[in-house]
């Protein structure tokens, strides 16, 4: 996993040991080099923008001003092709772009880039990815940008880092005489469970509930703990709808999510 926070100022935001969740990305019109640039905006990780000849660019133009403090890239081969990714924004359509981050991924797992302007999300009309340095055809299946949900509370001990926790389902082949003939991987993913406690009821209703309403239909980007678990970045989904509980202590609530993540290494 690749996490970049060099262009991010905490300021009045939640501390960096609080999870970030990108679930409501900006939308717009995509123009890109290569082929099928719009594939990077749908949820199908097997459909990918083929970057084509370098230098390759992918540019999204919004219909109105939009806010961005997080960019997710997943379902890609940028690490194995030795690619470099520059992320830039422009405040006007057709205006000059300013580079916000440059990332050199070391593998093909999810990339998260946290950026802001002295603690405040950038207001943009365009966001562009520029791909250079690839030794073979670079491909990207997921590109998302927007303002991430910042969890009100951190998670504590006992949490499984999603970047280190794999789920692998296999089928073994056994001969008629009981000899082991091999094993076939049927499916694999990363996995974790995130329990949050002591969430104020007002915060849950105003901030977390809109995210909960998108589940389980919509995938999302997860930065599990930016300061303590930088490898735990994933493009995720869940099979459940969150079930909040009143904790019985003041006006506090608890909620948990069982999360499955795309495993690309």
């Amino acid at each position: 996993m690749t996490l970049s926070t060099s262009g991010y100022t905490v300021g009045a935001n939640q501390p960096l040991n609080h999870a970030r969740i990108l679930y409501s990305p900006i939308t717009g019109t995509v123009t890109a080099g290569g082929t099928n640039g719009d594939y990077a905006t749908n949820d199908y990780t097997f459909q990918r923008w083929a970057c084509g000849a370098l230098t390759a660019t992918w540019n999204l133009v919004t219909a109105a001003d939009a806010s961005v403090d997080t960019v997710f890239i997943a379902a890609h081969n940028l690490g194995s092709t030795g690619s470099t990714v520059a992320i830039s924004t422009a405040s006007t359509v057709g205006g000059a772009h300013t580079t916000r981050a440059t990332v050199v991924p070391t593998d093909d797992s999810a990339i998260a880039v946290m950026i802001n302007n002295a603690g405040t999300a950038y207001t943009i009309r365009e966001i562009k990815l520029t791909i250079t340095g690839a030794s073979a055809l670079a491909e990207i299946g997921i590109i998302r940008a927007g303002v991430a949900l910042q969890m009100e509370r951190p998670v504590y001990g006992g949490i499984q880092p999603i970047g280190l926790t794999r789920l692998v389902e296999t089928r073994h082949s056994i001969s008629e005489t009981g000899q082991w003939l091999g094993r076939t991987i049927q499916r694999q993913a990363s996995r974790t469970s995130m329990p949050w406690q002591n969430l104020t009821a007002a915060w849950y209703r105003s901030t977390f509930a809109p995210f909960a309403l998108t589940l389980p239909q919509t995938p999302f980007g997860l930065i599990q703990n930016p300061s303590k678990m930088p490898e735990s970045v994933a493009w995720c989904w869940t099979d459940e709808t969150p079930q909040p509980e009143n904790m019985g202590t003041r006006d506090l609530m608890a909620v948990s999510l069982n999360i499955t993540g795309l495993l690309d290494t």
Side-chain angles (χ1 to χ4, degrees):
M1 283 70 180
T2 301
L3 172 63
S4 171
T5 60
S6 59
Y8 187 86
T9 301
V10 173
N13 296 293
Q14 296 289 359
L16 288 181
N17 63 336
H18 292 220
R20 265 64 170 177
I21 299 170
L22 182 61
Y23 74 93
S24 182
I26 63 174
T27 59
T29 302
V30 172
T31 56
T35 57
N36 299 319
D38 57 333
Y39 279 2
T41 63
N42 69 33
D43 292 334
Y44 303 115
T45 56
F46 67 92
Q47 293 185 337
R48 303 190 177 192
W49 165 47
C51 300
L54 301 181
T55 299
T57 60
W58 184 94
N59 193 64
L60 184 145
V61 180
T62 63
D65 284 350
S67 297
V68 170
D69 68 4
T70 305
V71 179
F72 257 87
I73 302 169
H76 64 84
N77 66 350
L78 300 175
S80 58
T81 57
S83 301
T84 296
V85 186
I87 299 170
S88 62
T89 64
S91 58
T92 59
V93 176
H97 274 251
T98 301
T99 300
R100 304 303 181 188
T102 299
V103 178
V104 183
T106 57
D107 58 30
D108 295 337
S109 59
I111 300 167
V113 178
M114 299 173 63
I115 55 175
N116 63 25
N117 182 15
T120 302
Y122 286 108
T123 300
I124 70 159
R125 287 298 306 278
E126 295 188 13
I127 185 165
K128 180 168 67 178
L129 271 62
T130 302
I131 313 298
T132 58
S135 59
L137 179 64
E139 297 179 336
I140 303 176
I142 297 292
I143 302 174
R144 299 290 188 274
V147 173
L149 163 63
Q150 304 178 22
M151 290 304 299
E152 186 184 31
R153 301 284 186 253
V155 290
Y156 301 99
I159 298 303
Q160 299 170 323
I162 195 168
L164 302 176
T165 307
R166 295 195 308 149
L167 168 69
V168 180
E169 295 184 11
T170 63
R171 182 176 62 200
H172 295 265
S173 298
I174 306 297
S175 74
E176 291 181 357
T177 60
Q179 306 304 312
W180 188 77
L181 301 178
R183 177 179 56 211
T184 301
I185 294 177
Q186 295 180 293
R187 61 187 59 88
Q188 56 185 330
S190 54
R191 175 171 287 185
T192 193
S193 179
M194 297 285 287
W196 288 283
Q197 297 181 334
N198 300 313
L199 304 173
T200 58
W203 181 89
Y204 184 94
R205 294 186 176 100
S206 66
T207 306
F208 194 88
F211 167 53
L213 289 174
T214 70
L215 302 174
Q217 296 91 336
T218 306
F220 54 92
L222 172 68
I223 311 173
Q224 200 171 10
N225 186 325
S227 64
K228 301 295 185 182
M229 295 187 289
E231 77 287 341
S232 289
V233 172
W235 184 247
C236 304
W237 55 91
T238 181
D239 297 327
E240 306 167 353
T241 54
Q243 304 295 316
E245 299 178 349
N246 289 315
M247 296 184 66
T249 306
R250 295 184 294 172
D251 195 18
L252 300 177
M253 304 184 76
V255 70
S256 63
L257 277 180
N258 291 317
I259 296 170
T260 303
L262 177 67
L263 186 62
D264 271 342
T265 57

